[in-house]
Amino acid sequence: RIFVNMFDKRSTLQNRLLEKLRSKFDEHLLNTVVGYDANIQYGQLAAEPLFAFSMKCEVAQQFISLAQEIGAYVKSRLPP
C-alpha cells in the first residue's frame, strides 16, 4: 500500500502529483493523505512527539486516520 505524506495542499505541483499517483496507483493508494504542519517542527524543537506536542492539530488527526485505515486493511486481509 502507498500513502502520501508531507503533502502541501496549497502546492499546485503536489496536487498534480497526487492526481497522477491516484490515476496510476489508485487501487494501491491509501485514502488518507497526511499533510504538512509547522507543529511537526515545533514538536521537534521541543523534543516531543507530535502527539504529545499537539494532539489536536490536523496532521496528528491525519496520522490517527492513517493508522485506522491501515488497521482496517490488515484486518480485512486476515483469515476468518
Side-chain angles (χ1 to χ4, degrees), residues 41-49 53:
Q41 290 178 328
Y42 295 142
Q44 289 172 339
L45 286 172
E48 292 184 2
F53 183 76

Side-chain angles (χ1 to χ4, degrees), residues 32-59:
T32 304
V33 174
V34 178
Y36 174 78
D37 191 316
N39 282 311
I40 295 169
Q41 290 178 328
Y42 295 142
Q44 289 172 339
L45 286 172
E48 292 184 2
L50 177 64
F51 292 101
F53 183 76
S54 182
M55 179 69 165
K56 295 187 181 200
C57 75
E58 185 177 5
V59 171

Side-chain angles (χ1 to χ4, degrees), residues 5-45:
N5 189 27
M6 300 293 289
F7 179 75
D8 184 354
K9 60 187 169 192
R10 301 169 298 172
S11 168
T12 303
L13 178 62
Q14 288 188 25
N15 280 296
R16 287 182 185 168
L17 179 58
L18 180 58
E19 288 307 313
K20 285 189 179 262
L21 286 170
R22 284 186 174 144
S23 68
K24 186 161 183 147
F25 300 106
D26 186 50
E27 63 190 49
H28 302 289
L29 195 62
L30 293 172
N31 293 321
T32 304
V33 174
V34 178
Y36 174 78
D37 191 316
N39 282 311
I40 295 169
Q41 290 178 328
Y42 295 142
Q44 289 172 339
L45 286 172

